[in-house]
Amino acid sequence: MHAISFIQDLAVIMLVAGVVTILFHRLKQPVVLGYIVAGFIIGPHTPPFGLIHDEDTIKTLAELGVIFLMFCLGLEFSLRKLFKVGATAFIAAFLEIVLMIWIGFEIGRWFGWNTMDSLFLGAILAISSTTIIVKALNDLKMKNERFAQLIFGVLIVEDILGIGIIALLSGIAVSGTVSSGEVFSTVGKLSLFMIVALVIGILLVPRLLAYVAKFESNEMLLITVLGLCFGFCLLVVKLEYSMVLGAFLIGAIMAESRQLLKIERLIEPVRDLFSAIFFVAIGLMIDPQVLIDYAWPIVVITLAVVLGKMLSCGMGAFIAGNDGRTSLRVGMGLSQIGEFSFIIAALGMTLQVTSDFLYPVAVAVSAITTLLTPYLIRAADPLSQKLGNVVPGRLARVLSLYGEWLRNIQPQGEGAMLAAMIRRILLQVGVNLALVIAIFFSGGYFAGRIGNWLSEWVSDASQQKALIWGAALLLSLPFLIAAYRKLKALSMLLAEMGVKPEMAGRHTQRVRRVIAEVIPLLSLLVIFLLLSALSASILPTSELLLVIAVVAAVVVALLWRWFIRVHTRMQIALLETLENSRENSH
């Protein structure tokens, strides 16, 4: 009987959703809204009676919808896009998220809601809807305009920061407190995990997908992709992170494979099915009585979303050096909330830390702001002209001088090349150090299990720690050597730039050599102190640590060239994957 009731529920969902979305399509409204309205129509709160009998199963399928939504968001994301978005995207996204979280929290406190409801409301208002914005810009045929490209950049940064917000909220909900130390710890661990997952994933996953693609079987490729997606989500959950993070990351990793277009084509119908169920499930939870009772908060929050995002994103775009018209178009284009907000609201309900009214309020605000989106984008130009006429001439001159000053201070020619080179070296050092820290963290995390396994041969606990710490150091050597070489190259570059012959005279070369040697050695000392602090749980006694240091020095002296070759091969493999995906995207 359970199977029959489930099929009946699925039939009702799909039939009603199909009819409503056709109607919405004819009315030129977003299909997402159609799904929510369909859920509302068949929901338990809509008279005369509820048409859905097995809500728990539908909620499980809706969770699959979240996974596929985030997975496809990851497929659209790429590391190259992140590096190309520039200052505008980072400044606008950061300013928007900080301001909207604060506004949402203050609105919640103003209405007398508890701390968790207020905090989750702030997070709900922070992220704009990629799906709705892309659809609106497509319908208005504005997708290729400059302001639209800036909006897409902001959305990429928002998605990454949104993943961080979800991880932070999960930690806060479990602990019930917000401390700055905990926030920094969570952000640090999350960043480390994301870097390591992306580097290792990009080295392994595209090669596996390329091997599977050789069989030229769509079925085999789809099953492999789904297996990797669910498997990685499970791994992330085991590490006590959100499934949403896992789905996004594995999507971002697969975005670097040559099979990206084929994967997107294969996964699209699966995503459409489960995301439709997800949005219908949102509609099922809307209680008309809640919307009536909370009509005033919904109006206030809607105004806060439109005005707050217009101000924060527009100001962010302007601070980054864009003109007033473009900045206003960016702000008005991002003035809505969508799928990320539903995921955050659902997280609050799943963790049982938010009130029942918050979810329907978020849905109502999203529906209103979604309907307003195309009109706001269209209204940006006339509004910017009116503001241009109202702004006093002196202020307009100051603003234009600011934009000109920003363009003038940007490094040009050789300066720009040097800045790019320094950024690249620092990025490479950062990635290598992230991998080293991850190896030592893993050693500490699995120390108990490894210790039990070693106890058959080594009974002394301090010796077990020495073996684990020594093994972690041995595995880290290729990355530490690479970091040292990159730091040496950077210090030589800085020495060349900083020590001029007119300052040091005949000692110029000697001073440069000293700087080139001292900076990397000091950096390595700081790195080892950091590793000792991070791996305190497996840090051996000072005597054993000295033995490990001597053994490591001998191994480095004997295998220096081999370690360099191993790291170079890994780096080439990583760059080849990124290059192949770039060629494929063109």
Side-chain angles (χ1 to χ4, degrees):
M1 286 301 291
H2 175 77
I4 294 169
S5 68
F6 169 64
I7 296 295
Q8 181 182 320
D9 288 347
L10 205 56
V12 169
I13 286 171
M14 289 298 147
L15 285 169
V16 176
V19 171
V20 174
T21 48
I22 288 167
L23 181 64
F24 269 66
H25 187 74
R26 294 294 294 271
L27 294 171
K28 296 186 176 176
Q29 295 302 324
V31 173
V32 169
L33 272 183
Y35 291 140
I36 294 170
V37 169
F40 177 68
I41 291 168
I42 61 177
H45 305 291
T46 310
F49 50 83
L51 296 169
I52 300 297
H53 304 93
D54 191 1
E55 279 190 44
D56 289 337
T57 307
I58 300 302
K59 283 176 184 173
T60 304
L61 292 176
E63 285 180 18
L64 285 175
V66 174
I67 289 173
F68 284 114
L69 270 173
M70 296 309 297
F71 176 64
C72 290
L73 207 60
L75 286 176
E76 290 169 13
F77 169 85
S78 79
L79 295 172
R80 289 184 315 283
K81 283 182 185 174
L82 179 61
F83 295 136
K84 283 179 184 174
V85 293
T88 299
F90 284 98
I91 294 170
F94 185 75
L95 201 63
E96 173 200 10
I97 286 173
V98 170
L99 186 66
M100 294 312 298
I101 288 175
W102 176 73
I103 288 172
F105 184 81
E106 290 300 324
I107 288 172
R109 301 306 288 164
W110 186 55
F111 282 118
W113 300 350
N114 65 44
T115 304
M116 278 298 174
D117 284 338
S118 304
L119 189 61
F120 269 81
L121 176 64
I124 285 165
L125 304 189
I127 313 290
S128 299
S129 169
T130 304
T131 310
I132 290 157
I133 291 170
V134 171
K135 178 80 171 65
L137 290 169
N138 270 335
D139 291 348
L140 296 169
K141 295 182 172 55
M142 291 181 172
K143 196 175 178 181
N144 296 318
E145 291 193 29
R146 185 170 180 275
F147 86 95
Q149 296 305 310
L150 291 174
I151 284 174
F152 295 147
V154 174
L155 290 170
I156 288 168
V157 179
E158 271 189 9
D159 292 340
I160 296 167
L161 294 175
I163 292 289
I165 287 170
I166 288 171
L168 276 174
L169 286 175
S170 301
I172 291 164
V174 171
S175 65
T177 56
V178 189
S179 69
S180 57
E182 210 170 284
V183 168
F184 282 119
S185 171
T186 305
V187 170
K189 286 178 182 175
L190 177 68
S191 305
L192 178 68
F193 173 70
M194 287 178 74
I195 291 167
V196 173
L198 284 169
V199 171
I200 296 173
I202 290 168
L203 280 171
L204 300 178
V205 172
R207 281 167 174 70
L208 174 62
L209 293 175
Y211 173 74
V212 173
K214 285 179 185 175
F215 295 100
E216 296 184 356
S217 165
N218 286 344
E219 181 185 358
M220 200 182 291
L221 183 61
L222 177 62
I223 297 302
T224 304
V225 166
L226 292 176
L228 287 169
C229 176
F230 292 129
F232 193 76
C233 285
L234 180 64
L235 170 67
V236 170
V237 169
K238 292 284 185 188
L239 292 172
E240 297 179 357
Y241 286 115
S242 166
M243 261 190 321
V244 171
L245 172 65
F248 179 83
L249 278 180
I250 193 65
I253 289 164
M254 289 189 194
E256 303 302 335
S257 74
R258 299 187 90 166
Q259 286 70 41
L260 173 61
L261 295 175
K262 199 171 187 180
I263 291 167
E264 284 181 326
R265 196 167 61 248
L266 289 173
I267 211 79
E268 195 174 352
V270 184
R271 178 204 65 192
D272 289 345
L273 169 65
F274 287 104
S275 61
I277 295 171
F278 168 63
F279 288 116
V280 169
I282 288 166
L284 289 173
M285 298 171 79
I286 298 175
D287 184 349
Q289 191 58 48
V290 172
L291 300 186
I292 293 164
D293 294 343
Y294 289 86
W296 175 233
I298 288 168
V299 171
V300 171
I301 294 165
T302 301
L303 286 170
V305 168
V306 174
L307 297 175
K309 284 180 179 276
M310 195 190 303
L311 179 69
S312 58
C313 296
M315 194 184 293
F318 183 77
I319 289 169
N322 295 283
D323 60 80
R325 177 171 170 264
T326 303
S327 301
L328 190 63
R329 292 176 94 185
V330 169
M332 292 179 82
L334 288 160
S335 296
Q336 81 294 107
I337 58 172
E339 62 276 3
F340 235 118
S341 306
F342 302 145
I343 292 165
I344 291 169
L347 177 71
M349 288 188 70
T350 306
L351 297 172
Q352 296 179 336
V353 292
T354 55
S355 306
D356 291 340
F357 66 81
L358 194 62
Y359 202 108
V361 165
V363 174
V365 172
S366 174
I368 297 166
T369 53
T370 297
L371 287 168
L372 292 173
T373 297
Y375 302 106
L376 286 168
I377 294 171
R378 279 199 202 101
D381 271 359
L383 182 59
S384 67
Q385 285 171 5
K386 284 178 183 173
L387 287 173
N389 295 332
V390 172
V391 171
R394 187 174 293 177
L395 179 61
R397 277 196 301 278
V398 170
L399 295 176
S400 66
L401 282 170
Y402 168 75
E404 196 176 320
W405 171 74
L406 268 185
R407 284 187 288 276
N408 288 336
I409 63 168
Q410 288 178 358
Q412 303 292 328
E414 193 178 328
M417 286 173 64
L418 278 172
M421 197 183 297
I422 291 169
R423 277 200 303 271
R424 196 179 304 117
I425 292 171
L426 289 173
L427 178 67
Q428 289 170 343
V429 170
V431 169
N432 281 299
L433 291 184
L435 291 167
V436 171
I437 293 167
I439 289 168
F440 277 88
F441 263 151
S442 302
Y445 186 79
F446 294 108
R449 294 176 197 176
I450 297 169
N452 291 335
W453 178 72
L454 286 172
S455 59
E456 292 182 30
W457 300 279
V458 182
S459 57
D460 185 57
S462 61
Q463 289 178 2
Q464 287 177 4
K465 284 182 179 180
L467 285 170
I468 295 167
W469 203 89
L473 182 62
L474 190 66
L475 286 171
S476 303
L477 283 177
F479 309 111
L480 285 169
I481 290 168
Y484 171 77
R485 294 175 74 221
K486 297 294 177 191
L487 285 166
K488 192 163 184 179
L490 178 62
S491 57
M492 287 170 69
L493 187 65
L494 293 174
E496 287 285 335
M497 290 166 60
V499 182
K500 303 293 182 187
E502 53 267 26
M503 290 166 59
R506 59 194 179 87
H507 300 294
T508 302
Q509 290 304 324
R510 195 176 300 162
V511 173
R512 285 175 176 174
R513 273 198 300 273
V514 170
I515 291 171
E517 291 296 335
V518 168
I519 291 177
L521 288 172
L522 285 174
S523 301
L524 277 183
L525 182 63
V526 171
I527 289 163
F528 277 113
L529 289 172
L530 176 67
L531 289 176
S532 301
L534 290 172
S535 59
S537 61
I538 56 167
L539 196 66
T541 58
S542 53
E543 292 86 359
L544 289 170
L545 202 58
L546 185 63
V547 172
I548 292 167
V550 171
V551 172
V554 172
V555 170
V556 168
L558 292 172
L559 300 175
W560 177 271
R561 291 181 184 277
W562 183 78
F563 282 132
I564 291 172
R565 278 203 302 273
V566 168
H567 186 272
T568 304
R569 282 176 191 159
M570 289 173 67
Q571 192 169 324
I572 289 168
L574 191 68
L575 291 171
E576 275 180 356
T577 304
L578 294 171
E579 284 297 324
N580 287 339
S581 72
R582 186 183 288 121
E583 287 166 17
N584 193 52
S585 66
H586 290 324

